[in-house]
Amino acid sequence: MAASLGFPRFGDKQNSPQFEDYLGQLLEERDRIGLTEAIRQIDALMITVEPSHSVAYVAELCVMTPYHYLVTLESESHFTHILRIDMSAPDLLVREVKDPNVRGIFRSLNEVYPIGAVKPNSRYMGEVLRVTDPHAVVDMQKARDIRFFNQDQIRKLELPGNMAVVKPSPYTHNIVAYWERPESDVRVYALGWSSIRDDMQAAYEGAKATQKKLGIDELLLPIDHLATRIYSQNREAAILEYLTLSSYYYWGSYDIADQNSSTNVTKSVHFANELESPAKVFTAANHPYFMNHLLTESPTEAFVRNFGPRLHHIAVAVKDGETEAQANIDYVVASLRDCGQKFLLDVIGSKEAGLKQIFSSASEYSSLIVEYVQRFGGFQGFFTKDNVAELTHAAGVEESLRALQKEAQA
């Protein structure tokens, strides 16, 4: 039986006694009833974009990541473009609504936030988790008061019909879906008519030609982690909720005091290698926005107030080693910059510290940032506090500028 409480704890952030108590109770129960064993890895990530933005976004992803365009699934009101590396890493499902006026629950999660409303159909939706017995998992989760979309709602939302989908979290606004897939089976999504679109294939081939020309195609690895930003008061609840929905464990939290923020990490019980099932990170302010005039303003809280609780960045791992006498991450970033890709800062960290990282500018199409991370010599830590502080600050500067631009346009 899995032992979710048997992992070492890291970090210096102090949690409430209630959090620590509930953490133990939740994970012990999850192990005991068999949920931990039944819920396996993240099999897919779901992202939505505005109408006509998917070709450009897929091309962007295929230059900046190791993903490949596989196929397009067309339903009545959506295109869903499937991107894949291999069966050891999660797929990306890029979902595009055909009619910009179509309304629904996922759009409404954007529209109440000033910058989120600018692109109401663009957001990260959530993860698909592979399970060994979906009916048992759904029954156990319903007994824990987890709420699911019914099959009629799934049809109306045009989500894959072979999944059980949890309703959006009140803390992260993300969904989690469960589906059954034997480990040896290829992922197949029950969603519409299948085709390889000429425009998408041409964009994909052009992107991969660029990637190869830059010499970065062999240096990019799968996703290392997914980072969600949430309101300060929801930090502990969001972590506990995700541990309830998944088979992840609590790795620990670090306080980034000079950014009035904390970074909180959960990892898979079953997969020690994040490239097989990415870590889930939750970033939250230490204090709510109305304390800003008394304390240090938090870029994390400002982001959530402008965009809503949502995924902030996808971190792509970079192969350890050097290319042309540079660390691979420096070579990747310099090559992409020469192509016109913008970044929020220079590469930070060092080989001596064991880790280098950088944030790209946010995508025009999804609002998501791509982070690159290179670990040196088998470095086991997740990040350094100095790196996180610099990344948080840089992202906050860009997001403040975007907010000012929005106000100027209003």
Side-chain angles (χ1 to χ4, degrees), residues 88-108:
S88 297
D91 287 349
L92 290 182
L93 277 57
V94 178
R95 172 181 161 103
E96 174 190 8
V97 65
K98 295 178 181 178
D99 181 353
N101 298 309
V102 167
R103 310 192 67 82
I105 187 170
F106 299 109
R107 177 172 177 149
S108 70

Side-chain angles (χ1 to χ4, degrees), residues 329-360:
I329 189 171
D330 296 304
Y331 181 85
V332 166
V333 170
S335 300
L336 289 170
R337 273 189 166 134
D338 288 345
C339 263
Q341 175 60 48
K342 295 180 180 178
F343 291 86
L344 301 188
L345 70 171
D346 291 328
V347 177
I348 57 174
S350 67
K351 183 175 182 179
E352 292 70 30
L355 191 67
K356 280 192 165 190
Q357 296 166 278
I358 192 170
F359 276 167
S360 76

Side-chain angles (χ1 to χ4, degrees), residues 356-398:
K356 280 192 165 190
Q357 296 166 278
I358 192 170
F359 276 167
S360 76
S361 292
S363 170
E364 176 185 347
Y365 312 109
S366 68
S367 298
L368 291 171
I369 284 171
V370 171
E371 177 185 349
Y372 292 111
V373 55
Q374 179 177 345
R375 291 182 173 83
F376 295 86
F379 178 75
Q380 294 299 309
F382 195 76
F383 51 75
T384 68
K385 289 187 70 169
D386 288 344
N387 282 14
V388 171
E390 288 193 57
L391 292 168
T392 302
H393 173 72
V397 169
E398 186 198 45

